Amino acid sequence: MATTALPAPLDQHRRTRFALPGDPGWWTFCAAGSLALAVFTSLGPHRVWGAAGALGYAAAAVLAVRGRPALIVGVAAVTGAVVLPLVVLLAVDRAQLEVEVVARSAALLLADGTPYTAHPLIPEDFNPYLPGMAAFGLPEAVAGSGPLTDPRLWMGAAFLAACAYALPTGSRREPLLWVAACPLLALPLAVGGVDLPVVGLMCLGLAEAGRGRGGRAGLWLGLAAALKWTAWPALPVALALLAAGSAGDRCRAGLRCAFVALLTAAALVLPAAWRDPGAFHAHVIAFPLGLADAVSSAASPLPGQLLATHVPGGRTPALGLLGASALLVAVSLLVRPPATATATATATAPDAALRLAVGLLLAIAFLPATRFGYLVHPLVLAVWAAVVRQRPVDAPVFVRIQKKATR
């Protein structure tokens, strides 16, 4: 005979869903920040976004005060902060400089076999991204300029798709809605942001590593590594995450991840680098590090930028601090790897994501040429970690089965 017993709270290990900011005060703060940007910025696309975002966030604040459902409030915020400015900017053919760089790099790739100009002179001539980023400009290079071929649409779609797949089933709608409505991400979704697909693929790679799928993790991380240098720190973190798995599989999974990631990145990066090594070095190494004659337009009052700008010879200590922060994160992975899961391997993924977020935050702080927009990396990683750490409220309820012998 078998009897069933309702599970006690200790048996279920269920947690409440992670609550993202969405009260009237948050939306009011977002509206004020957007309005301030619209008033003080000198960039046309950012001014359009600020005005539209202020309307959307103000509407969300009013709806939140009236007690409307969080879904309706979030949709109002996304409509004003993403959809409206995106439609306006597409109609007038305006975008952030990064969008033009990606579109031009795709045209150069098709024409010359490399996305880099041979002799860049001014900052606008430089393409500081790795060759894979040109893929988002291929629709425009092939079919011509238009609203549906704009690179920012493809970058935003890749970001949202990667984040959705990286999130647990049943816990996708609210986090994605909040991420899209957050000003730090709504702005690049509307005006164009190359960091979005990079961090989306990083989350997806860590999610697959947390599931013990070394090959898939390597594929996504390799694709991210072919887009921008900021994705490369995710690879050692993913390897440390895989090493925290079961002893029998961790070596093979780690080797598969490293092999697939390096092979994928090499297949996308090396042909362009081999085509013109000098141009590759000038665009993606010298220019981002501030070693080129032209000065990058990336400038935010962060420690690395302040050292490089206001301290004689300050670029060297800034790079030293950058290297020291990378070394500290690497040592932390060796001394204290991501926590080993007690039930499933996916429980370690949030720890790895938070470790990566801290490392990228330090790197952003000490880069000689940096901007606040780079903060989308640690922000998205932290939100993803917080959501994954919480078990969905609709998770299966396990029932304890107790068997008793019958006579």
Side-chain angles (χ1 to χ4, degrees):
M1 183 179 70
T3 61
T4 61
L6 291 176
L10 291 178
D11 296 323
Q12 299 181 60
H13 295 289
R14 297 179 71 191
R15 301 174 183 175
T16 56
R17 194 184 299 275
F18 177 74
L20 293 164
D23 60 344
W26 165 253
W27 299 122
T28 302
F29 171 77
C30 294
S34 302
L35 186 60
L37 180 65
V39 172
F40 294 107
T41 185
S42 59
L43 301 175
H46 289 211
R47 189 178 300 112
V48 171
W49 178 85
L55 293 175
Y57 293 133
V62 172
L63 292 173
V65 168
R66 294 182 176 181
R68 295 295 188 269
L71 178 62
I72 295 177
V73 175
V75 168
V78 171
T79 301
V82 179
V83 178
L84 178 59
L86 179 60
V87 170
V88 171
L89 291 171
L90 287 174
V92 299
D93 194 22
R94 296 291 302 276
Q96 196 164 251
L97 177 61
E98 285 86 338
V99 177
E100 300 176 12
V101 171
V102 172
R104 184 179 69 241
S105 68
L108 288 171
L109 181 64
L110 294 180
D112 303 328
T114 175
Y116 308 109
T117 57
H119 303 288
L121 298 176
I122 59 176
E124 289 74 13
D125 294 338
F126 284 88
N127 171 19
Y129 316 121
L130 292 172
M133 191 67 72
F136 296 106
L138 289 177
E140 181 172 318
V142 173
S145 179
L148 297 180
T149 61
D150 194 285
R152 84 189 93 174
L153 291 181
W154 298 96
M155 291 188 287
F159 164 69
L160 294 175
C163 286
Y165 188 69
L167 289 168
T169 304
S171 302
R172 293 172 176 171
R173 185 179 64 184
E174 291 85 357
L176 282 178
L177 192 62
W178 185 87
V179 162
C182 178
L184 201 59
L185 287 104
L187 175 61
L189 281 171
V191 304
V194 296
D195 295 295
L196 295 179
V198 178
V199 70
L201 289 171
M202 290 162 65
C203 290
L204 186 52
L206 290 179
E208 296 290 8
R211 297 162 186 156
R213 301 168 181 170
R216 294 187 182 182
L219 174 62
W220 299 123
L221 292 176
L223 290 175
L227 300 179
K228 202 173 180 185
W229 288 118
T230 49
W232 283 83
L235 183 56
V237 175
L239 294 177
L241 174 58
L242 289 167
S246 59
D249 297 332
R250 60 189 181 186
C251 182
R252 290 192 297 271
L255 289 176
R256 283 196 302 270
C257 178
F259 175 77
V260 174
L262 294 177
L263 181 63
T264 303
L268 295 174
V269 172
L270 289 183
W274 183 266
R275 177 78 174 178
D276 193 339
F280 179 83
H281 177 271
H283 283 265
V284 303
I285 298 178
F287 183 68
L289 293 178
L291 304 177
D293 294 333
V295 179
S296 172
S297 59
S300 295
L302 295 172
Q305 175 73 27
L306 294 176
L307 280 173
T309 304
H310 301 290
V311 177
R315 193 176 306 278
T316 299
L319 294 176
L321 289 171
L322 178 63
S325 63
L327 181 60
L328 288 175
V329 174
V331 170
S332 75
L333 291 174
L334 295 174
V335 175
R336 188 181 178 186
T340 304
T342 56
T344 59
T346 54
T348 64
D351 301 310
L354 290 175
R355 195 77 58 86
L356 179 59
V358 171
L360 291 175
L361 190 61
L362 291 172
I364 293 167
F366 297 129
L367 275 171
T370 186
R371 57 173 52 140
F372 286 119
Y374 298 161
L375 294 174
V376 299
H377 291 277
L379 172 65
V380 173
L381 286 165
V383 171
W384 179 81
V387 174
V388 175
R389 190 184 295 276
Q390 305 299 319
R391 187 183 299 275
V393 296
D394 55 352
V397 178
F398 297 99
V399 179
R400 184 172 61 246
I401 307 295
Q402 182 179 0
K403 293 184 178 180
K404 294 183 179 180
T406 58
R407 297 180 182 273

